[in-house]
Every structure is written in structure tokens, then in C-alpha cells.
Amino acid sequence: MKIWAVLFWLAIWQLGSMAVGKAFLLPSPWQVITCLGDLLVQASFWRAIGYTLARIALGFLSAAFFGTLLAASATRYRWVRELLSPLMLTVRTVPVASFIILALIWFSSQRLSVLISFLMGLPVVYANALEGFDARDQGLQEMALVFGLPTYRRILYIDLPQALPALRTGCTLALGLCWKAGVAAEVIAMPRGSIGERMQQAKVYLETPELLAWTITVVLLSVLFEHLVRALLSLLEKRLRRL
Amino acid sequence: MELIIRGVSKAFGEKKVLRDVNLTVEEGELVAVMGPSGEGKTTLLRLLMGLEKPDSGELLGLDGKKIAPVFQEDRLIEAMDAVSNIRLVTPELSREDVRNAMERVGLTHCEGQPVRELSGGMRRRVALLRALLCRGELLMLDEPFEGLDADTKAQAIAETLRQRKGRPLLLVTHSEAEAAALNARIWTL
């Protein structure tokens, strides 16, 4: 991303805000940054980040783990692939709002963002991991078979490294969805102490600068978390290359 | 126990690749499988490796035996270095042990380098060492010296003899000189 492009869009935002002239409709970038600065010194700001981050991370990591595991099983057993196909299609196509409302009936709002992040991430990780596993080199599979490589070594050092590029794409896509859907679920369910609750309160009191400050916070958290996940996957890839 | 191939036939669709093949490999024997291209030498090895099933006939003496193969292609993990490729199938060897064997076949100064960056001849030697150093009871080598120059081929053959340790060896080759250097019985398909 180029700095000049960011500055250009900030200038457009500033001009739009000046044209509107009402902070509760469209605050200026400076008002939002000032508000974010005020939030940064509040303990409740960091508690809300911790609350939401922990739940979305848990949802995402569960989706990444089970998505990969199920994809590995579906690669090995055709019946698993056939069994999961309608389920994954359903989870992928049902509107997230339907899941949120159903989940609110079945579970407490405290756990909602974990479940929603998991449900949004699972089919994406699964589909990408499946694509990665399907593209495995059959020659290497035969090599592993003839040498009598134990299953865990085959999965760790042959299958997983080949699936990692697709898995990395899946995780990146899933992570974006987890943050969007997870925070949306919090805005609807308003679990106490979450980012979603703070955003909903800012909306109710027409504190638009605070609403945008929280939005920027969520975007930054999402980007940072994505970099962390990518770095961990690169580390794993490197580790699996040396024996 | 000896390895017996009795009346084995194999076809792929309409194409008959092997017809009524019979061969006995005695315990510890070295056999060079020779014959024109497309006559089924690789298919025969694939049958013995359990990667294909014969249409008819019997393969005896393979039950529970670990095979040490060199495939027609190198079949290496491209992102790994040579030492890791070898240790993948033989984790009990230290990196030092593998390095010493690599030096004997002229594979030096390539540690840490992914095998995708190595020349064809170097990759072939990595594939050969991977088979020789593993604890397979039956060596099945499909043109393992392909693409090697005279000097490195001599080193590779010497290392094959050194590492064979009395194990039976089936070698697919087009070269009578290779068979002679290994003191192998020539069997023509």
C-alpha cells in the first residue's frame, strides 16, 4: 500500500466531513484519531480488545484446526468428503445473521463470537485445505508408501507442506470473515465488555467518532492477527523443511 | 528367503506390458533387469513394490519385507535439503552420518540447499543414497545411475556395493557396463 494513496483517501474523507459539517454524521479523520487517542489510555479499551480478541482467536484457531483435520480425513476417505459436502455448503451459504439469531437462542451471548467465528472460518479453511491436499504429488505418496513411512511423518513432512500454500490462503480469507462476523455477532448480542458492545453503545449515543475509532481498532487488530498467523505458518513451513 | 516371480502378467487396458514373467532372485543376489524400453521393466518393479497388482501369476517372498526403492523419477521433497530428504525415511541416522555418505558420492557443499536447486545428477545421487541408507531388506533400483558422469557413476556404484550389505538387489538398467561393475546377473525381459 502506498502512502500517497492513503493520504489521498484521508483528504477525501476530510473534505466530505467538512462538506457535511456534522460530526455525528461524518466526523473528520482528526476527530476520530483524537477519540482513538482518548480510548487508548482507558483500561476498559484494552479489556474490550482482550475480550473480543480471545474469542475470535479461539473461534478462528478451532476453525483452522478442525477445517484442516476434516480436509485431511476427506482426502483419505471418500465417504467423509461426501458426508461433509452438504454440511459445508449449508454453513457457507446460510446468512450469518441467521446463525447469530439461532445461536442467541441456543447459547449465551458470552460465547457467541467464538461460535460465529468458528462457523464462518470452518468451510473456508476446509475448502482450501481440501484443494491443497487434493493437489498432492502422487509420486511422493507412492514414495512414502514404499518406504513404509509412518502416517504422522507422511502427514507432517509430505502432505502438510504441500497443502500449506492453499492453507495459508484459506486462513487469510477465514480470518477476515472471523473478525467481520465475530464483531457483528457482538454488536447484535452485546456481550458485556466486548468491542461489539462498545460499538453498539457508541451508535446509540450517536458517538460516531468513537464508533469509527473502534472500527479502526478492529481493522488494525485483524491486520496484526493476520500477520501473526502468516508468520507462524511460515515458521512451521521452515521447521518442516529440516530434519 | 528368495524372491520368486511366477507367471506374472500385467496389462493396462488393451496394452499387455508383461506376459508370463518368471524370475527367481536368490537370497543376497544381485540381478540386473535389462531389455528394450517399454518392455515393462519399471512395471515389474512397481508390481514388486506393491504399487500395482498383477493380472495373473504370483509374487512370493515379499511378505512383510521392507523395500528400499529408487524410482524412475527422483521423488524428492523439493523444499528440503539432501540430508533432510534422506533422514525423512531414515531418522535414526544423524545428519553427520548422512553427510559422510554424501561425501563418498561427491555430494558436497549442498547442505541447507533445497534439492530443487541441485543438478539432475546430484538429485539422482540423493535418491540413490536415500534407498541405500534406509533399512530396507530388498533394494529395488530403477535406473539409479541415469544422468551421472563417469566419475560420479563410479563413486555411486562403489557406494551401492558398500551399502548393499548382502541385501538382494534388483537393478533396472540399460547398461551392461553398470551390471558388470556391480557384478550382477543379467536377466533380460
Side-chain angles (χ1 to χ4, degrees), chain B:
Chain B
M1 187 190 163
E2 61 199 359
L3 169 66
I4 300 168
I5 300 164
R6 188 182 292 154
V8 165
S9 297
K10 178 73 184 173
F12 294 105
E14 293 295 301
K15 191 171 189 285
K16 291 204 167 170
V17 182
L18 296 171
R19 287 169 204 252
D20 192 26
V21 173
N22 292 283
L23 168 68
T24 299
V25 181
E26 302 292 340
E27 186 70 47
E29 193 183 12
L30 223 148
V31 176
V33 178
M34 300 192 71
S37 295
E39 285 298 305
K41 300 185 294 295
T42 294
T43 303
L44 182 65
L45 280 201
R46 288 180 61 82
L47 287 168
L48 292 167
M49 289 175 191
L51 297 174
E52 306 282 352
K53 294 252 180 289
D55 296 335
S56 60
E58 286 180 302
L59 300 166
L60 303 170
L62 283 167
D63 289 342
K65 276 203 173 131
K66 257 193 92 178
I67 292 169
V70 169
F71 296 90
Q72 202 170 34
E73 315 80 24
D74 301 318
R75 302 200 182 180
L76 301 169
I77 314 276
E78 300 290 336
M80 280 185 179
D81 71 353
V83 178
S84 299
N85 262 286
I86 293 166
R87 291 194 69 235
L88 175 68
V89 299
T90 319
E92 61 272 19
L93 289 179
S94 68
R95 288 186 73 89
E96 188 60 36
D97 292 336
V98 175
R99 266 197 299 268
N100 290 339
M102 282 170 58
E103 274 176 29
R104 288 195 294 271
V105 293
L107 283 171
T108 50
H109 310 300
C110 61
E111 200 182 348
Q113 203 177 350
V115 291
R116 66 167 162 260
E117 293 173 9
L118 303 183
S119 69
M122 291 171 90
R123 292 165 56 91
R124 203 64 189 144
R125 279 173 280 165
V126 176
L128 174 64
L129 271 187
R130 182 177 61 181
L132 293 176
L133 295 176
C134 90
R135 286 185 176 169
E137 296 152 86
L138 254 167
L139 288 157
M140 294 193 186
L141 317 182
D142 196 346
E143 301 187 38
F145 311 115
E146 190 72 15
L148 304 187
D149 60 47
D151 287 346
T152 49
K153 189 185 280 190
Q155 286 176 322
I157 287 173
E159 188 64 12
T160 303
L161 289 169
R162 176 192 162 97
Q163 298 287 353
R164 190 168 78 89
K165 294 170 183 164
R167 293 178 285 182
L169 188 155
L170 266 175
L171 169 82
V172 166
T173 181
H174 290 287
S175 161
E176 285 188 23
E178 284 174 14
L182 284 162
N183 202 17
R185 168 164 69 97
I186 292 178
W187 180 79
T188 308
L189 190 62

Side-chain angles (χ1 to χ4, degrees), chain A residues 30-48:
Chain A
W30 180 246
Q31 285 170 311
V32 174
I33 289 165
T34 310
C35 181
L36 186 58
D38 293 341
L39 287 173
L40 281 171
V41 293
Q42 294 172 18
S44 62
F45 172 80
W46 296 102
R47 274 200 300 274

